[in-house]
Structures are given as structure tokens and as C-alpha cells.
Amino acid sequence: MSVAPTRTKWGYAKFGTGRLPAAAIAVPGGLILGAAGGWLSVLAGIGGSNPALGFWVFAACIAMPAAALVYVLVVDRNTLIGATERPDDSVESGWIDKAASGSFMDLILVLGAATTVLAFIPRELVVDLKLVLPAVVGLGFASFGIRYLVLRRKG
Amino acid sequence: MKNLVHESRQRLAWSQQRLADELGVSRQTVISIERGRFDPSLPLAFRIAAVFNSTIEDLFFPDEQQ
């Protein structure tokens, strides 16, 4: 009887005492989420004049990022080749903590300043609120990424 | 905090990767500790002392004491 290797390139997802290759969960999960996204786009009427085409375009665009998201959520990092045994004790863990807390502070500062400025602009200048969430997410990603890279460069 | 991790590792003729593997951390962690840019957690400091057959007090010093 052959025993599956403890560590592989794509790792495993653990469920109780058992485990499954993480990709075996991520790929079907991504496809299901992609199909759900395509279906929602058709229901919401944002798929264009051809619902079938809209479904496939949305499904194709959503499936891969969704699969990546499911993979990140389910994979046990200890089962990846090259993973350290104690990632919490590694310096990278400290960089992540510092970058996350710093980017949270950046978000509070920028949102506070932006809200103050928006409170005083003339009514003629309308700011589309749909831009706020992507802007906050983008700022969070950018702040975290830059802070992490700076910490990494400092060593 | 200053330390003698670099000197202790050199004495054993270990590479940074070898020490990282012994400690279960990344090689970058060893680099940062040796440069004095990262203060290890207490459990990690105990493991470092153990692999060098030493004590924490013999390996790590506050900046002003060295």
C-alpha cells in the first residue's frame, strides 16, 4: 500500500483526521462559484443582450480568481513543499503583522481626511459612492503591499 | 538586541539554511536575527539556545551591555 507524500507542490486541505489535495477542492469550487456569478449576472441583467454569452463571460472571468480564493482558504500551508515548520516564528510573520496594522492605520487616516474634505466640497461636485468600496479595497492592498515590500527590503 | 548567533553558527560550520531547517523557520529569519534586525520570540530564542547547546543569556544581549 502506498502512502501519499506529506508535502506536495499544491498541498492538502485537512478535514478532521482526513485530507484531500487542495486543488481537488479549489478547482471545482472555483467552477461552481464562477457559474453562480454568471447566473447572478444574467438574473441582474448585467450580462448584456445575449444572456448565454453574458453567463459564459462572467463565469469565465470569475472562475479563476474564485478558484484561487478557495485554494488560499482551504490549503494547509504546512503541507506545501518548502514550507517552514513554524511560520509564526519566522520574520515574515512579523512583517505581515506590521504591514497589516500599518495599512489599517493608513485606511483610517485617509478615510478620515477624505470624509472631512468631502463634507466641505460644493454640492455641484457629486462623488459617485460606487467608487468608495473599490477605492478603500485598492488603498488597503496598495498600503499593505508597499509596507510589506519596504519591511522586506530592510530585512 | 545583539546576539552571537552568527558566531555560534560559524563555529559549527552550518549554513544559514541548515540553521533555519533546524529551527523550523525561514532562512530570511536567520539572516534578520544575525543582523540584529529581528528579535526572536521567546520560544524561538530557547530553540536557538538549544541547538547551540547554550543558554539564552549567553547568546542574546541588550544593546547597551555589549
Side-chain angles (χ1 to χ4, degrees), chain B:
Chain B
M1 194 161 63
K2 304 236 175 186
N3 63 75
L4 296 176
V5 173
H6 178 75
E7 291 79 357
S8 304
R9 181 176 62 79
Q10 297 281 55
R11 228 178 0 256
L12 294 176
W14 283 5
S15 66
Q16 290 173 332
Q17 187 62 58
R18 166 85 192 271
L19 178 58
D21 292 341
E22 294 283 339
L23 297 171
V25 297
S26 64
R27 182 172 160 259
Q28 182 61 53
T29 303
V30 173
I31 294 170
S32 296
I33 290 172
E34 287 187 353
R35 287 180 181 170
R37 291 182 178 164
F38 175 60
D39 293 336
S41 65
L42 196 53
L44 179 56
F46 272 114
R47 287 207 303 281
I48 294 170
V51 296
F52 291 134
N53 241 340
S54 183
T55 62
I56 290 179
E57 295 88 340
D58 290 337
L59 284 174
F60 295 94
F61 312 91
D63 280 333
E64 66 270 18
Q65 281 190 12
Q66 202 172 28

Side-chain angles (χ1 to χ4, degrees), chain A residues 41-83:
Chain A
S41 75
V42 172
L43 283 184
I46 54 175
S49 56
N50 187 337
L53 182 63
F55 171 85
W56 285 112
V57 168
F58 270 83
C61 290
I62 293 170
M64 195 171 286
L69 178 64
V70 172
Y71 175 76
V72 168
L73 290 175
V74 301
V75 71
D76 179 357
R77 284 167 178 74
N78 286 328
T79 61
L80 294 170
I81 287 176

